Amino acid sequence: MTEPTETQGDGQNRAYYDDFAGWYERERGRGYHGLIDDLEMGIIEPMVRGKSVLEAGCGTGLILERLARVASDEQGFDLSPGMLDKARERGLNVKLGSVTEVPYDDNSFDVVCSFKVLAHVPEIGAALAELARVTKPGGRMVLEFYNPWSLRYLAKRVAGPQPISEDRTEADVFTRWDSPSAIQRILPPGVEVVDFRGVRVVTPFAGVHRLPLVSSAIARVEHAMVASPLRYFGGFLVAILEKKA
């Protein structure tokens, strides 16, 4: 492996995530964000149990910590040193690295996963090729994309970029939206779609989860929607991929 080099997109994303690493978890673990984490874990956990897993863009390690409880080996990497400091405090095995130059050897992991990361990568083809490279033949890639066929996309268009700190908004980071058909077109050779799962299918905007009775009702529906025919309209579209043996 060569030493990773920083692309323009990497530098932009690193500054963005370092800027709010200290308060990234304030809203996590409850309400809307807790629901999203639980829905994602429901998808990935059965595939990781007893296997080696790599999380690309592990952030502060909230998901990776939960995966470590069931995996035989967990590893993670992220662009943000600030985020990685938090992950290391959790005792997780993490490295500094980019999805366009993944800091692991070929064919290293049974499962490679990534949540809320690939939507912020301009060089998506290079990123997918790298994630496939470190996946074992016959292994799975569980990758989350932002879906333009969703209520979340419409809500973002109406509300506009939201603040993430005193000095930055969501407009300060590159964001892409990939439909199910677009994802099929950008996959590297030797990788095929097994299925899709949908996260945040019926939630119109995150604020509804501040209303206790409404939130609990919507949460039950969201859990039912993950693998339903409506999964293709999830705001977060999870592609379950396989690297051919």
Side-chain angles (χ1 to χ4, degrees):
M1 295 182 296
T2 59
E3 287 296 315
T5 57
E6 185 175 282
T7 68
Q8 183 176 1
D10 285 348
Q12 181 191 48
N13 288 349
R14 177 174 294 172
Y16 178 86
Y17 287 108
D18 273 342
D19 196 46
F20 70 108
W23 59 270
Y24 175 74
E25 297 184 19
R26 288 181 188 174
E27 298 299 322
R28 301 296 291 265
R30 64 181 187 274
Y32 168 75
H33 296 286
L35 171 64
I36 299 301
D37 287 351
D38 288 345
L39 292 170
E40 292 166 345
M41 279 300 301
I43 295 168
I44 183 68
E45 184 175 334
M47 288 181 269
V48 166
R49 191 172 295 278
K51 297 183 178 180
S52 60
V53 62
L54 172 69
E55 185 180 7
C58 62
T60 62
L62 284 170
I63 294 293
L64 189 60
E65 182 178 44
R66 295 172 69 172
L67 294 176
R69 299 169 191 164
V70 297
S72 62
D73 175 54
E74 93 290 340
Q75 303 284 333
F77 69 92
D78 200 276
L79 271 177
S80 167
M83 292 281 188
L84 289 174
D85 286 344
K86 302 291 184 181
R88 292 189 181 102
E89 288 174 8
R90 289 187 154 93
L92 298 171
N93 301 311
V94 295
K95 294 182 181 181
L96 186 68
S98 165
V99 289
T100 56
E101 291 189 62
V102 177
Y104 296 91
D105 293 330
D106 295 358
N107 307 321
S108 293
F109 299 95
D110 298 311
V111 181
V112 172
C113 66
S114 184
F115 300 97
K116 299 178 187 63
V117 172
L118 297 177
H120 303 298
V121 178
E123 304 91 352
I124 191 65
L128 294 176
E130 275 291 275
L131 296 178
R133 177 183 65 77
V134 300
T135 304
K136 292 179 181 180
R140 291 288 172 92
M141 301 160 64
V142 183
L143 308 180
E144 188 176 77
F145 297 84
Y146 291 179
N147 185 7
W149 299 357
S150 66
L151 289 174
R152 180 174 181 267
Y153 176 75
L154 293 176
K156 290 288 185 183
R157 291 294 298 270
V158 171
Q162 299 298 297
I164 62 98
S165 74
E166 292 182 357
D167 302 316
R168 294 181 187 273
T169 74
E170 293 170 332
D172 291 316
V173 67
F174 170 85
T175 301
R176 62 183 303 121
W177 298 81
D178 295 292
S179 67
S181 57
I183 293 168
Q184 295 268 10
R185 293 194 295 269
I186 60 178
L187 295 180
V191 174
E192 59 186 14
V193 173
V194 174
D195 206 346
F196 287 101
R197 294 290 183 265
V199 172
R200 189 180 159 171
V201 176
V202 300
T203 297
F205 55 94
V208 300
H209 290 279
R210 298 191 186 100
L211 307 171
L213 294 178
V214 175
S215 178
S216 59
I218 292 179
R220 288 193 295 272
V221 177
E222 290 288 11
H223 279 280
M225 291 293 102
V226 170
S228 77
L230 294 178
R231 64 189 182 276
Y232 298 101
F233 301 102
F236 303 106
L237 188 65
V238 181
I240 301 172
L241 312 171
E242 183 172 285
K243 179 178 176 180
K244 295 180 182 178

